[in-house]
Amino acid sequence: MKYFPVFLDVAQRPVALVGGGAAAVAKLRLLLKTEADITVYDPAPAAQIRAWAQADLLKISKAPLTLDQARQAQLIYAASEDDSCDARTQKIAQSAGTWFNWVDNLEQSQFITPAIIDRDPVTVAIGTEGTAPVVARAIKRDIEERLPQNLGALASIGQTFRSLAEALPFGRIRRDFWSRFYFSKGPAAYDAEGVAGAKRVLHELLAEFKSASPKPGHVDFVGAGPGDPALLTHKARVLLHEADVILHDRLVDRRILELARREATVIEVGKTGFGPAMAQDDIHHLIVEHVARGAQVLRLKSGDPTVFGRLDEELEAIAAQDISYSIVPGITAASAAAAALGRSLTRRGRNSQLRVITGHDMAGYAEHDWRDLAKPDAVAAIYMGKTAARFIQGRLLMHGADPLTPVSIIENCSRPDQVIRSAPLNALTEALHNLAGPVVLLYGISPRTAVSHVFQPQEADLCL
């Protein structure tokens, strides 16, 4: 993040804009939404600017901006559409030490003005650091359609009620109260009866929530998918926003965790194969402890929680405490890896089965029906197989697998740093060299898409 978003108090404070043409008019349409004391510096401003001045919405100075005036201003905009004039304004602003924006010149500006959604006093600012204005406009349009037009009025009414609402317990109950007011009961009452209707609904909701029994805690077991936040399900996104406590696996992408509420408690309960790990009993204890406090707990697991996620163990732990739960599936790594390869996991005439196996389990390297896996038509998605690769390779070759059986290797599947490699079975361990991220192996499937490297067996490996 190059630009840190802030909301600046400009009420009754000087803001200077140098320029009087179309660029100035466009910027003033936004600035006039504020309570700033705006002065336009231009000898012959456009008719629209003169009309605003006649309506006492701003002042016009036909004399140039001086250094003293620049020092008094909180913000300075250069919008003359003349490079030499705007450069002079920039020098004055720099000498005065005042924040400066050169309209449509990102490189020469100290700050940028975001796209704004105005539901005063509710304001949504959208920025792309000047890289993609069309994206900001598209986001603005989508949010505009979702937010009630009367949201600003409801926010002002709600502000006067906040001290009364503090009688409700902090956390989920209070959030539910305000959510019902702003997005359900409030808009309808305001449209029908105005301010009086909105205030009536607030008192009714407060009485309802005060008399309601406290909500019991609950846990949602949610699949975070392979890494790309765009692959999260809609339900997973909703629960991320609602959760009071998030207990997440080590491999959950940080971008996904950014979708959580800022007030949520976020705890990593990660495990590393053959490395540091939080004990499973400790994870059980954390879930039960937070649910007992009435929290809405999100147990966020990489991929799909039902695939090598130790889900049953956690379900058994909460069942003993009679805790309510739900399971939200996610896209598992095998599906994402096949998509990355441009392949299907099953194909008529190639494989009538798909095995989903793990490279190691609680006892160490995992044993499987190697003779069956060594058959020519076998296809398997191998999770956690990087450390166990030589063991897997040896077992398959020992039981008659073709040394040239294709293996696709996908590291950091679906993430920006995704790596795809391809190797025959007898070059598998070499192909895994220098891969530090999580890896899924697709045994019996070769990539259709481009790969970073195709490994060939060394001469000494041919006898394996």
Side-chain angles (χ1 to χ4, degrees), residues 120-362:
D120 187 24
V122 177
T123 305
V124 181
I126 304 158
T128 62
E129 299 195 352
T131 59
V134 68
V135 173
R137 287 195 293 272
I139 296 171
K140 179 180 186 300
R141 182 185 63 246
D142 290 346
I143 297 177
E144 286 273 16
E145 292 173 357
R146 293 171 184 238
L147 294 183
Q149 288 295 325
N150 54 23
L151 184 59
L154 291 172
S156 296
I157 295 167
Q159 176 63 30
T160 66
F161 203 81
R162 295 194 74 84
S163 59
L164 293 175
E166 287 175 2
L168 297 173
F170 182 78
R172 183 155 50 126
I173 292 176
R174 201 181 297 180
R175 287 202 311 275
D176 289 348
F177 167 82
W178 286 116
S179 182
R180 287 269 299 280
F181 172 66
Y182 284 124
F183 300 107
S184 176
K185 299 287 189 180
Y190 186 88
D191 286 343
E193 305 171 48
V195 174
K199 289 183 176 180
R200 174 182 56 77
V201 161
L202 276 170
H203 286 283
E204 290 174 356
L205 284 173
L206 183 61
E208 177 186 336
F209 275 80
K210 275 184 175 180
S211 61
S213 301
K215 280 188 176 182
H218 176 83
V219 57
D220 298 295
F221 296 93
V222 176
D228 184 353
L231 295 179
L232 276 175
T233 64
H234 174 71
K235 191 168 186 178
R237 284 180 174 269
V238 170
L239 292 174
L240 266 167
H241 179 70
E242 293 178 349
D244 300 307
V245 178
I246 298 172
L247 308 175
H248 68 92
D249 288 351
R250 178 180 62 88
L251 294 178
V252 172
D253 194 289
R254 305 306 302 181
R255 296 170 297 169
I256 291 175
L257 296 175
E258 286 294 320
L259 300 173
R261 292 185 304 108
R262 295 300 173 201
E263 313 91 75
T265 300
V266 181
I267 305 170
E268 181 180 322
V269 292
K271 289 176 165 45
T272 305
F274 300 109
M278 177 176 284
Q280 189 64 42
D281 284 345
D282 290 340
I283 297 174
H284 298 164
H285 176 75
L286 279 172
I287 295 173
V288 172
E289 178 187 19
H290 285 289
V291 171
R293 296 175 183 170
Q296 186 163 333
V297 176
L298 183 71
R299 177 66 177 99
L300 192 60
K301 295 175 175 283
S302 302
D304 183 280
T306 67
V307 180
F308 301 124
R310 302 186 73 168
L311 176 63
D312 285 336
E313 297 170 54
E314 295 176 14
L315 290 175
E316 290 164 4
I318 66 170
Q321 305 294 324
D322 198 26
I323 292 172
S324 68
Y325 70 91
S326 73
I327 301 171
V328 179
I331 295 176
T332 192
S335 297
L341 297 178
R343 290 288 188 185
S344 170
L345 289 169
T346 59
R347 178 176 177 174
R348 287 189 299 169
R350 184 190 68 193
N351 62 303
S352 58
Q353 297 183 58
L354 170 67
R355 297 160 180 83
V356 180
I357 66 175
T358 179
H360 59 81
D361 55 22
M362 294 173 66

